[in-house]
Amino acid sequence: MYRFLMGTVTAADTLQGGVSGSPVLLTPAVGDANVQEKWFRLLGYAAPFYTEEDPQLAGEMIWTWKRGGAPVEDNGAYPLPLVALLYPQPNLPEQQPALGSVHYPDIGYVIFRSGEQNLQHYAIYEASPLTYHAHHDEGHFSIWANGVSVTLDSGTGGYYNGDRHWYVSGAAHNVVQFDDKSGRFANGPLRSNCKEVRFSEELDYVRSRIPDANAREYERNFVFIKAGCLYKITRSDGAWFIAAINGTGQSRHITVPDLGPLRLLGEPETAEPGQPEPMGLRLEAGRIHIAMPR
């Protein structure tokens, strides 16, 4: 349980850390959870009990607990204030856990990270064989970039009021919805099948089949491209483009001789009269560029 809690930590979120505070790790908002939960308090409570039995686990728990804001308060239905006062030991040795991309097939989470040394970019994808609490979120994804939540699962706002009807619906998630027979967007299925997951240094990839009753066939593909790479994407009819990512802090000029003259998306298809076709691309720092043949 504790390793799962540590293994699903988000990027260090700069917004939740506050204007004057340090960025904090969070537990992702999936299903009935939300990013303001205080689950890391459990790591602070339990770590002292593992210092002799499993010192590595204890150290990883302390490392995660501290970077999650070192919470001690219990925000559950049955708060236990004495636990927060008696058990946490902040002076215990800490050790950073191995945090890379990971797939939890029995639960249905696929988590993407951009390398052990760069934990500011993060995504979590939902492809679950379980019903959970009846959220229509199959194929949902949440993304953090540079410690900022770009897309986020809303979790749930409450169990016993009208809000819950919104939070469990497909409209509250980053999913594709199809029209039903009346022409209205309908909720998707409660389960899906994860067909393929692949991790590499260059990119991570997941493909899942979502058996939506309103679609003849629907597969969702999610690619997590890691900075500093060049990718050629080809369609079945031979048309292609490249995605170039400049993950450095400076602008770069690159040439790809085998691909011929290229133009960036939004540029004219041909050069000005009397001017040679430019062979290279200028890539601005920290941006994704889409280039096509001229």
Side-chain angles (χ1 to χ4, degrees):
M1 178 185 71
Y2 297 123
R3 290 207 177 278
F4 175 76
L5 187 59
M6 294 186 293
T8 57
V9 295
T10 71
D13 191 295
T14 59
L15 301 181
Q16 292 292 328
V19 177
S20 59
S22 300
V24 294
L25 300 173
L26 306 171
T27 49
V30 179
D32 284 354
N34 65 66
V35 295
Q36 296 175 329
E37 293 284 353
K38 304 295 183 181
W39 291 116
F40 289 142
R41 72 185 187 278
L42 302 176
L43 302 178
Y45 300 165
F49 296 96
Y50 288 90
T51 52
E52 295 185 6
E53 176 183 343
D54 193 337
Q56 178 178 339
L57 175 61
E60 293 177 357
M61 293 165 75
I62 291 294
W63 184 93
T64 308
W65 175 63
K66 285 185 175 180
R67 282 153 187 81
V72 293
E73 68 271 25
D74 186 343
N75 63 344
Y78 303 99
L80 301 173
L82 290 180
V83 173
L85 297 175
L86 295 176
Y87 291 129
Q89 297 182 26
N91 295 326
L92 289 176
E94 60 181 74
Q95 180 175 340
Q96 180 175 344
L99 293 175
S101 298
V102 63
H103 179 207
Y104 296 100
D106 294 335
I107 298 174
Y109 300 167
V110 186
I111 294 175
F112 306 95
R113 294 185 174 94
S114 57
E116 186 72 22
Q117 302 305 316
N118 184 4
L119 299 178
Q120 289 300 92
H121 305 291
Y122 172 100
I124 183 169
Y125 179 86
E126 169 84 10
S128 177
L130 303 176
T131 300
Y132 289 130
H133 290 185
H135 283 248
H136 299 274
D137 59 354
E138 297 307 311
H140 167 86
F141 59 88
S142 294
I143 298 175
W144 274 258
N146 288 325
V148 176
S149 54
V150 181
T151 68
L152 191 63
D153 190 333
S154 55
T156 193
Y159 285 94
Y160 309 110
N161 54 37
D163 291 348
R164 181 158 173 77
H165 295 289
W166 159 257
Y167 285 108
V168 302
S169 71
H173 301 89
N174 299 317
V175 299
V176 175
Q177 291 182 275
F178 296 93
D179 292 348
D180 59 16
K181 293 181 179 179
S182 66
R184 297 180 179 180
F185 289 131
N187 286 324
L190 298 176
R191 301 182 184 183
S192 63
N193 303 314
C194 189
K195 309 295 289 186
E196 184 178 4
V197 177
R198 297 184 182 273
F199 300 136
S200 71
E201 293 184 1
E202 297 80 16
L203 60 83
D204 299 331
Y205 168 69
V206 62
R207 175 174 62 92
S208 63
R209 184 178 182 277
I210 301 177
D212 196 301
N214 295 299
R216 183 170 54 187
E217 185 173 357
Y218 173 40
E219 284 191 348
R220 189 155 203 181
N221 296 264
F222 188 96
V223 178
F224 186 80
I225 301 177
K226 301 174 183 179
C229 303
L230 181 72
Y231 300 90
K232 182 179 181 182
I233 302 172
T234 306
R235 206 166 59 184
S236 59
D237 62 1
W240 58 269
F241 67 90
I242 64 170
I245 303 176
N246 183 359
T248 70
Q250 298 178 343
S251 297
R252 302 286 185 185
H253 189 275
I254 66 168
T255 302
V256 191
D258 295 340
L259 298 181
L262 300 170
R263 65 179 178 91
L264 291 175
L265 184 65
E267 288 186 352
E269 295 190 12
T270 58
E272 294 182 7
Q275 298 295 322
E277 296 281 3
M279 294 297 295
L281 296 174
R282 181 175 177 81
L283 306 182
E284 300 299 329
R287 288 186 54 191
I288 299 177
H289 300 76
I290 304 299
M292 293 156 285
R294 288 188 177 272

